[in-house]
Amino acid sequence: MLIQVDIVSSEAEIWSGSVAMVFAPGEMGELGIAPRHAPLITRLKPGEVRILDELDNETSFFISGGILEVQPHLVTILADTAIRAEHLDEVAALEAKQRAEETMANRASAMDYARAKAELAELAAMVETIKKIRKRKA
Amino acid sequence: MSGAKEIRSKIKSIKNTQKITKAMEMVAASKMRKAQDRMTATRPYAEKMRNVICHLSHAHAEIKHPFMIEREIKRVGYIVVTSDRGLCGGLNVNLFKKTLADMIAHDEQGIEIDVVAIGRKAVEYFKRRGANVVAQASHLGDTPHIDELIGTVKVMLDAFAEGDIDALYMVSNDFVNTMTQTATIAKILPVAGPADDQLKHHWDYIYEPDSKEILDSLLMRFVESQVYQGVVENIACEMSARMIAMKSATDNAGDIISDLETMYNKARQAAITQEISEIVAGAAAV
């Protein structure tokens, strides 16, 4: 009896296939998942995911955390590509905010939608004209 | 005609420009292929993620995460994804036009707007326009990584969780094919639950640690992956738009060169004719 395993990260598909057993570093402890495991969902710690195929060949992957979902015949591992931690995320958010604040400090004035619209209309007209000129040439 | 020399130098300078646009076209073409590969590589994650969320919402309909609840809209957030560089035709202009139309529609209803700018063009545009930019990210390069976007997205997620904004949209270009890219506005938050509300057989997950925390991190990653995918797709759009723009620039340069060459030949011939008629006239006078 085999279980379908899909390991994906946000940047690429890592592995997909049928295996006899999966081992993963769950947040509350190491997990071993065989076919017909009860539905389970948990976060993963950074560590090694090992899979055993029917011939007992072992393959392993390193993941830097993620989420594991178990359905009776399907295991999905959503692997992170970045090291995640609450404080790290917080720092990244602050940096993004700071960059924006610098931009805001230098901005001309508050958003004037009417003017922006007029300006865009002008640009669109320009593009139209270029198109027309090109058509006439052809 | 005196212009022969000037025409020749003009032809030379346009030929140089043509070489540059031709090179840019080829660079964009090869980058486009890579960007397209990257775009397809990111799809499985979002798909699997959607499956898990779908399973999850079937498992226990009674607990709803704040990210999944619709509420009255007083303030909205936009994540606007553009390229870092220009020379890619009307790609960014079309995107801004679409964004602005949507913003104006919200503005007329008295809804306030926050903006997250991704890409240098968006940063510059909203700075000039004076929009309320709450976070920004630029210079992501041709191979962006999700960790460069986490902070930027988190600003909006936090704002939504705290009730500062009531809906979050992402504006980016959709890669239809090499010739066509369309600017699209997609609603990211609240996350739309599955359409069917019928009761399936009752089952639930074993949650480790608990369902709230799992949903938290799952939905956060879901939104991040959507934005990431938008950014990656936008790069593919940028490259193909640039390829097309540079191709037509190269063609235009070719047209101008052939026009100038005709003009140059005419000028040359006129000069020769004049010289001959001068000689003939001179001979006749002797």
Side-chain angles (χ1 to χ4, degrees), chain B:
Chain B
M1 232 203 260
S2 63
K5 193 156 176 265
E6 280 111 62
I7 292 171
R8 218 161 50 205
S9 74
K10 205 165 183 184
I11 289 176
K12 210 174 154 200
S13 98
I14 289 172
K15 269 189 178 156
N16 284 336
T17 312
Q18 194 186 27
K19 273 181 209 156
I20 295 169
T21 55
K22 183 86 199 161
M24 282 182 82
E25 180 196 333
M26 289 191 290
V27 170
S30 95
K31 278 187 178 174
M32 182 189 75
R33 225 160 297 137
K34 280 183 209 146
Q36 261 176 292
D37 290 345
R38 223 168 294 123
M39 194 173 83
T40 38
T42 59
R43 272 195 190 134
Y45 186 79
E47 240 165 64
K48 294 281 182 303
M49 182 78 88
R50 218 167 290 134
N51 288 347
V52 174
I53 288 175
C54 187
H55 290 160
L56 208 59
S57 49
H58 276 308
H60 59 116
E62 67 275 13
I63 300 174
K64 267 208 158 179
H65 193 273
F67 281 0
M68 293 172 122
I69 298 169
E70 298 266 354
R71 45 189 199 221
E72 197 201 335
I73 293 171
K74 292 189 209 77
R75 197 180 184 94
V76 294
Y78 284 93
I79 296 180
V80 183
V81 182
T82 62
S83 64
D84 274 338
R85 278 165 294 173
L87 290 182
C88 47
L91 190 76
N92 292 323
V93 174
N94 287 338
L95 189 94
F96 289 137
K97 221 161 79 183
K98 184 115 185 177
T99 316
L100 211 64
D102 206 59
M103 281 181 170
I104 289 169
H106 274 124
D107 191 55
E108 277 164 2
Q109 292 169 37
I111 295 167
E112 284 180 273
I113 292 162
D114 282 343
V115 175
V116 164
I118 298 179
R120 203 168 58 90
K121 289 286 163 192
V123 172
E124 279 171 5
Y125 179 75
F126 288 112
K127 179 175 160 188
R128 202 170 58 238
R129 284 272 58 90
N132 189 26
V133 181
V134 291
Q136 71 180 54
S138 57
H139 303 286
L140 298 173
D142 295 332
T143 50
H145 292 292
I146 201 159
D147 39 329
E148 293 165 299
L149 293 169
I150 288 172
T152 321
V153 177
K154 189 176 164 60
V155 172
M156 277 304 188
L157 289 178
D158 287 350
F160 189 86
E162 281 158 23
D164 289 343
I165 58 169
D166 307 300
L168 178 62
Y169 298 91
M170 180 173 73
V171 198
S172 66
N173 281 296
D174 233 6
F175 187 90
V176 183
N177 56 42
T178 320
M179 298 296 287
T180 346
Q181 300 87 34
T182 41
T184 47
I185 299 178
K187 192 176 191 178
I188 291 195
L189 287 175
V191 174
D196 55 322
D197 267 347
Q198 67 210 31
L199 269 171
K200 298 268 167 74
H201 65 286
H202 255 287
W203 62 276
D204 206 351
Y205 283 110
I206 306 168
Y207 297 97
E208 289 182 16
D210 64 54
S211 59
K212 168 88 177 57
E213 269 184 60
I214 291 282
L215 256 178
D216 253 351
S217 35
L218 197 64
L219 286 173
M220 194 170 84
R221 282 171 177 78
F222 178 61
V223 172
E224 281 164 6
S225 83
Q226 275 197 310
V227 175
Y228 178 71
Q229 222 189 342
V231 170
V232 171
E233 192 159 343
N234 199 64
I235 290 173
C237 290
E238 179 195 345
M239 291 310 163
S240 56
R242 179 167 302 131
M243 190 181 82
I244 302 294
M246 288 302 117
K247 187 173 166 27
S248 69
T250 311
D251 291 349
N252 282 349
D255 288 349
I256 294 174
I257 288 171
S258 72
D259 283 356
L260 283 175
E261 264 166 2
T262 320
M263 221 154 95
Y264 171 72
N265 286 338
K266 271 184 191 157
R268 193 173 55 93
Q269 253 170 355
I272 292 169
T273 314
Q274 197 184 1
E275 213 171 301
I276 289 174
S277 66
E278 272 165 17
I279 291 168
V280 171
V286 171

Side-chain angles (χ1 to χ4, degrees), chain A:
Chain A
M1 184 148 224
L2 296 175
I3 186 164
Q4 171 71 28
V5 177
D6 295 311
I7 307 178
V8 289
S9 80
S10 57
E11 285 170 24
E13 188 163 24
I14 298 173
W15 199 84
S16 174
S18 295
V19 301
M21 186 105 181
V22 192
F23 299 94
E27 208 175 55
M28 318 279 281
E30 178 88 7
L31 295 159
I33 296 144
R36 291 164 73 176
H37 191 286
L40 164 96
I41 190 161
T42 183
R43 277 200 303 237
L44 297 176
K45 286 189 300 193
E48 198 183 23
V49 173
R50 288 179 299 140
I51 48 182
L52 276 181
D53 66 12
E54 64 267 56
L55 302 169
D56 268 357
N57 294 320
E58 196 182 276
T59 320
S60 70
F61 306 93
F62 175 80
I63 59 160
S64 48
I67 290 170
L68 171 88
E69 188 223 15
V70 182
Q71 292 278 342
H73 297 285
L74 178 72
V75 175
T76 309
I77 296 178
L78 302 163
D80 288 341
T81 40
I83 308 279
R84 305 301 296 257
E86 189 56 35
H87 67 278
L88 280 180
D89 288 5
E90 207 67 60
V91 170
L94 273 179
E95 277 172 9
K97 263 188 197 164
Q98 246 159 32
R99 285 196 298 265
E101 269 156 25
E102 277 163 35
T103 308
M104 291 291 285
N106 294 327
R107 72 173 171 170
S109 61
M111 188 93 173
D112 184 346
Y113 291 105
R115 236 180 76 194
K117 199 177 178 181
E119 213 179 70
L120 268 177
E122 201 177 305
L123 267 176
M126 216 150 84
V127 171
E128 248 347 272
T129 317
I130 292 172
K131 262 188 203 156
K132 260 183 210 154
I133 291 173
R134 202 169 290 162
K135 216 178 264 169
R136 206 177 306 145
K137 258 192 161 178

